[in-house]
């Protein structure tokens, strides 16, 4: 089990400065991949197949005379996925503080406990807290680290591995509709949730494998000694604010949530839609089709995303536009076979969107920023994912038709795809233009003129540094700015050291010049003697 100090703020800066290269293979790496596969499969298999539980829960609420049963039943599932994403920023921060392994373990325990308590519920309000909030928070704590750990073990094949891991939810989505339908028919809703709780507990076993490699810590390098005076500095010690200075990330983190207001609507209401419009059809087949092609899409587009010249943002735009159009087409089809075809393509582009989240985060924010970058993105996604299905259920309660809900659900993905064009219009790290070999990195002082500039090779812990440029982007020091007195004392120390060094070098140069002069004189004497001998 990793030590807390490995991922804790204020670790050894020399260790943090050297990032170990991911092995891209090996027994440990493949086991981590399989464990992440199971985590994603269990959590999102349950979330994606909520429509099966939704139908059974809606019938119970209607039988109990509960008003707006469709909206309230859909809110349970929406709170689950909304909480999963809403608490992802917290999951990212906790991961940086206590480590990937502990965060995943605690998340698995909370999710299993929430599902266990749900089996004893006697009201929909109780389900809001247990199934919606507690399970969702636990899923968030387990899900975010399961993506982050992949960047510690894979780099060259990160797209393919990320596609395989996220395909876990597709595999479970294929199997679970029929398994849940069988359990609901045989043992009822309460016992079904008990079985789900036991399955979720497997995540705690998977967490034991999530040990980051030495030197791949993703925590921001802020010293608590210098950041303990003000609230803003304390916040900076927990939150990696550097990712919010990247314009590309800010646009991406706003565009993706904008596209998701209608994303989860078909997953919740698909079975009810089929019951109302295609009495001869089986809605579970559509959920299975979504799962099959979503898994294929994650593998296919994950492989495509690993091609160096492929634009991952452009791939995500294609997926959003396709999902929006296909969601709208659900309202005009009059054939169940055509509905199956639409579901197959929806799953394919859903897999494209999901498989690109991790690689894009690592591409824009790097390994150290990816943890919180993914966390904050998923947190922003929680609002549209929570709001969409209940609104669709509320419209259905009043209109008794899914035409308007599905039409409205298809608009946001297209809008989000158009917003992503802005990512191509901005550039990050434009300040590295002073010299071709070095870049002045910002470490502002109370008086910038008082601090000497030093080369990054000195492994110094504080102050302004000169860092080499790698691949056209400066390697920025994340060290906190020193105080005024520290800068003065450090400047004097550096000045004294530099003076003594210069004096020593001048003495060495003088002695060297004397040696060269003596050798030159002896060489001239030899040449003169040779000349005299020849002349004789």
């Amino acid at each position: 089990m990793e030590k807390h100090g490995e991922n804790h703020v204020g670790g050894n800066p020399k260790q943090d400065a050297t990032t170990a290269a991911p092995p891209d293979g090996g027994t440990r790496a493949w086991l981590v991949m399989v464990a992440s596969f199971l985590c994603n499969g269990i959590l999102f298999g349950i979330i994606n197949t909520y429509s099966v539980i939704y139908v059974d829960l809606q019938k119970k609420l209607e039988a109990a005379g509960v008003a707006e049963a469709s909206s309230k039943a859909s809110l349970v599932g929406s709170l689950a996925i909304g909480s999963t994403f809403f608490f992802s920023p917290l999951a990212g921060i906790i991961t940086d503080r206590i480590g990937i392994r502990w965060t995943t373990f605690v998340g698995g325990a909370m999710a299993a406990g929430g599902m266990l308590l749900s089996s004893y519920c006697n009201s929909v309000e109780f389900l809001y807290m247990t199934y919606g909030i507690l399970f969702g928070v636990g899923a968030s704590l387990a899900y975010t680290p399961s993506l982050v750990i992949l960047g510690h073990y894979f780099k060259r094949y990160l797209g393919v591995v990320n596609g395989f891991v996220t395909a876990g939810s597709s595999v479970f989505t294929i199997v679970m509709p029929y398994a849940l339908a069988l359990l609901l028919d045989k043992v009822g809703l309460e016992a079904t949730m008990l079985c789900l709780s036991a399955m979720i507990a497997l995540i705690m076993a998977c967490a034991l494998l999530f040990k980051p490699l030495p030197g791949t810590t993703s925590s921001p390098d802020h010293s608590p000694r210098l950041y303990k005076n003000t609230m803003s500095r304390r916040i900076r010690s927990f939150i990696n604010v550097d990712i919010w200075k990247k314009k590309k990330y800010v646009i991406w983190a706003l565009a993706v949530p904008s596209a998701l207001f209608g994303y989860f609507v078909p997953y919740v209401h698909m079975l009810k839609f089929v019951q109302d419009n295609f009495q001869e059809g089986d809605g579970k087949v559509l959920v299975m089709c979504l799962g099959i092609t979503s898994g294929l899409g994650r593998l296919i587009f994950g492989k495509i995303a690993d091609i160096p010249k492929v634009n991952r943002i452009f791939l995500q735009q294609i997926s959003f536009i396709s999902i929006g159009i296909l969601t709208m087409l659900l309202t005009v089809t009059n054939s169940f076979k055509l509905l199956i075809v639409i579901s197959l393509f929806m799953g394919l582009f859903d897999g494209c969107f999901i498989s690109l989240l991790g690689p894009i985060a690592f591409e824009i924010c790097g390994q150290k920023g990816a943890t919180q970058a993914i966390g904050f993105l998923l947190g922003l996604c929680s609002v549209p994912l929570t709001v969409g299905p209940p609104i669709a259920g509320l419209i259905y309660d009043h209109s008794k038709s899914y035409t308007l809900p599905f039409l409205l659900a298809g608009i946001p993905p297209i809008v989000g795809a158009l917003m992503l064009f802005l990512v191509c219009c901005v550039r990050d790290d434009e300040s590295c233009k002073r010299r071709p070999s070095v870049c002045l990195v910002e470490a502002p002082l109370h008086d910038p003129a008082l601090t000497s500039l030093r080369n990054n090779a000195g492994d110094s812990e504080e102050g302004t540094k000169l860092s080499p440029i790698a691949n056209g982007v400066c390697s920025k020091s994340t060290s906190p700015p020193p105080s005024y007195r520290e800068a003065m004392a450090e400047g004097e120390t550096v000045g004294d050291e530099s003076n003594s060094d210069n004096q020593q070098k001048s003495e060495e140069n003088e002695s060297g010049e004397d040696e060269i002069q003596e050798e030159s004189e002896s060489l001239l004497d030899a040449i003169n003697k040779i000349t005299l001998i020849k002349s004789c």
Side-chain angles (χ1 to χ4, degrees):
M1 201 169 282
E2 80 256 37
K3 297 179 182 178
H4 293 188
E6 290 176 351
N7 284 345
H8 198 280
V9 174
N12 188 353
K14 294 183 180 181
Q15 181 180 356
D16 294 346
T18 58
T19 301
D24 273 317
T27 304
R28 180 85 184 193
W30 302 128
L31 288 175
V32 166
M33 183 184 71
V34 173
S36 297
F37 173 89
L38 291 176
C39 288
N40 279 261
I42 292 171
L43 294 174
F44 281 91
I46 293 173
I47 291 173
N48 291 342
T49 57
Y50 175 73
S51 57
V52 181
I53 295 177
Y54 165 79
V55 173
D56 191 84
L57 180 60
Q58 185 204 30
K59 290 180 180 178
K60 289 191 173 185
L61 294 178
E62 288 179 345
V66 177
E68 298 178 345
S70 298
S71 179
K72 290 182 178 180
S74 62
L75 182 58
V76 175
S78 296
L79 283 173
I81 190 171
S83 299
T84 300
F85 290 148
F86 180 77
F87 289 96
S88 290
L90 178 63
I93 294 172
I94 293 176
T95 300
D96 282 344
R97 300 295 292 185
I98 69 173
I100 293 175
R101 179 185 289 178
W102 270 106
T103 306
T104 308
F105 187 89
V106 172
M110 289 181 64
M115 192 62 69
L116 179 64
L117 292 175
S118 298
S119 64
Y120 297 100
C121 69
N122 52 14
S123 68
V124 68
E125 289 77 15
F126 190 69
L127 278 176
Y128 292 159
M129 296 301 300
T130 56
Y131 194 112
I133 303 297
L134 190 56
F135 166 73
V137 173
S140 177
L141 294 178
Y143 172 64
T144 302
S146 73
L147 292 182
V148 174
I149 190 64
L150 299 178
H152 293 258
Y153 283 86
F154 298 94
K155 181 177 181 180
R156 181 180 177 186
Y157 304 112
L158 181 60
V160 175
V161 171
N162 198 83
F164 174 81
V165 167
T166 54
S169 64
S170 302
V171 173
F172 278 75
T173 301
I174 295 169
V175 176
M176 287 191 65
Y178 294 96
L180 287 176
L182 181 63
L183 288 172
L184 289 170
D185 183 57
K186 298 294 184 181
V187 297
L189 180 61
E190 292 76 12
T192 299
M193 291 183 177
L194 277 174
C195 296
L196 292 177
S197 176
M199 184 172 66
I200 295 170
L202 293 175
I203 293 176
M204 292 185 285
C206 295
L208 300 179
L209 293 170
F210 291 170
K211 181 179 181 180
L213 296 174
T216 58
T217 175
S218 59
S219 60
D221 185 17
H222 297 302
S223 171
R225 178 174 62 86
L226 298 175
Y227 280 91
K228 62 183 180 180
N229 295 326
T230 65
M231 181 60 68
S232 61
R233 288 177 176 178
R234 288 177 182 175
I235 293 174
R236 286 174 63 89
S237 69
F238 284 92
I239 299 175
N240 187 351
V241 297
D242 291 336
I243 62 176
W244 295 105
K245 297 178 183 178
K246 298 179 181 293
K247 299 175 184 177
K248 289 187 177 182
Y249 175 74
V250 172
I251 295 173
W252 183 59
L254 294 177
V256 172
S258 300
L260 297 183
F261 276 97
Y263 170 81
F264 199 51
V265 171
Y267 282 93
V268 174
H269 296 281
M270 185 70 78
L271 262 67
K272 184 64 177 175
F273 173 72
V274 172
Q275 288 181 359
D276 290 351
N277 298 278
F278 302 94
Q279 312 237 334
E280 76 284 358
D282 186 0
K284 294 188 292 295
V285 174
L286 299 182
V287 178
M288 182 183 70
C289 291
L290 284 170
I292 292 173
T293 52
S294 180
L296 291 175
R298 297 172 198 213
L299 294 174
I300 293 171
F301 288 101
K303 180 65 175 177
I304 294 174
D306 279 339
I307 301 175
K309 294 184 179 181
V310 168
N311 189 327
R312 293 166 175 171
I313 297 291
F314 181 67
L315 286 179
Q316 207 163 58
Q317 287 178 289
I318 293 175
S319 67
F320 280 144
I321 292 175
S322 302
I323 289 173
I325 294 174
L326 291 169
T327 302
M328 293 180 176
L329 290 177
L330 290 173
T331 63
V332 298
T333 179
N334 54 7
S335 170
F336 186 74
K337 292 181 180 179
L338 183 58
L339 194 63
I340 292 176
V341 174
I342 293 175
S343 299
L344 289 171
F345 279 98
M346 284 184 68
L348 185 68
F349 291 108
D350 167 77
C352 174
F353 157 64
I354 295 295
S355 66
L356 293 174
L357 290 179
I360 291 176
F362 273 91
E363 179 181 332
I364 295 177
C365 300
Q367 188 184 75
K368 288 191 175 182
T371 303
Q372 294 193 24
I374 295 173
F376 279 109
L377 173 70
L378 298 181
L380 293 172
C381 291
S382 65
V383 176
L385 291 173
T386 304
V387 169
I391 292 178
L394 189 63
I395 295 174
Y396 174 80
D397 284 332
H398 289 83
S399 65
K400 299 301 178 183
S401 172
Y402 279 110
T403 301
L404 183 59
F406 282 1
L407 285 175
L408 294 176
I411 296 175
I414 299 175
V415 174
L418 297 177
M419 290 177 63
L420 285 174
F421 278 112
L422 296 175
V423 175
C424 303
C425 301
V426 299
R427 295 178 62 185
D428 289 326
D429 297 317
E430 295 182 347
S431 61
C432 306
K433 297 180 179 179
R434 293 180 177 85
R435 290 177 56 188
S437 60
V438 295
C439 171
L440 179 61
V441 178
E442 308 131 5
L445 304 175
H446 298 86
D447 187 353
L450 296 174
T451 302
S452 302
L453 298 179
R454 288 162 289 145
N455 193 281
N456 198 29
D459 288 335
S460 57
E461 297 182 7
E462 299 172 351
T464 307
K465 299 179 181 179
L466 288 175
S467 302
I469 294 179
N471 298 326
V473 180
C474 67
S475 175
K476 291 194 175 183
S477 168
T478 56
S479 301
S483 63
Y484 182 86
R485 292 183 178 179
E486 289 173 335
M488 286 288 293
E490 191 171 353
E492 292 174 357
T493 303
V494 173
D496 294 338
E497 292 176 355
S498 62
N499 290 334
S500 61
D501 291 342
N502 291 334
Q503 184 177 0
Q504 183 178 0
K505 288 181 180 178
S506 63
E507 293 175 356
E508 293 175 357
N509 290 336
E510 289 176 359
S511 62
E513 289 175 358
D514 294 336
E515 293 177 359
I516 293 174
Q517 186 174 1
E518 292 175 359
E519 291 177 359
S520 300
E521 291 175 355
S522 61
L523 182 61
L524 287 173
D525 291 338
I527 292 173
N528 291 332
K529 291 178 181 179
I530 293 172
T531 304
L532 289 173
I533 292 171
K534 284 185 176 181
S535 63
C536 295

